[in-house]
Amino acid sequence: MQPIQIKKTGYGHWLISMEYRKKVIRTTTTNSMAVDDFNSDIDEKQGRKLRWKAGYEQLRAELIMKNA
């Protein structure tokens, strides 16, 4: 799993970035639910899935989709 960096850039906007295929990709997101899930406690669950992992997967998919 590649680490994702999140930086708040404005009201309801975050700059997210990660290394993907030896390149740093970044984009701006307004997906506050995914950011909140990603920043949740490491063992907190939502249903059967860990919240941070669900947030990670959403943010990773958004980064890859917008930089493809």
Side-chain angles (χ1 to χ4, degrees):
M1 243 193 271
Q2 298 293 334
I4 294 177
Q5 289 80 36
I6 300 174
K7 180 181 176 187
K8 187 157 178 76
T9 58
Y11 184 76
H13 293 80
W14 292 267
L15 177 66
I16 55 176
S17 61
M18 71 179 283
E19 186 175 324
Y20 181 70
R21 295 185 179 170
K22 299 183 182 179
K23 281 183 13 186
V24 175
I25 58 175
R26 60 180 52 95
T27 191
T28 301
T29 186
T30 57
N31 190 345
S32 59
M33 178 85 68
V35 172
D36 186 47
D37 286 348
F38 181 73
N39 289 324
S40 67
D41 291 335
I42 196 80
D43 58 349
E44 187 176 346
K45 290 189 175 184
Q46 184 174 20
R48 300 180 80 193
K49 199 168 194 176
L50 293 171
R51 280 187 67 197
W52 74 267
K53 192 169 184 180
Y56 174 87
E57 290 170 355
Q58 289 177 16
L59 294 173
R60 182 179 185 273
E62 185 173 341
L63 273 164
I64 292 169
M65 183 179 68
K66 288 185 177 179
N67 286 281

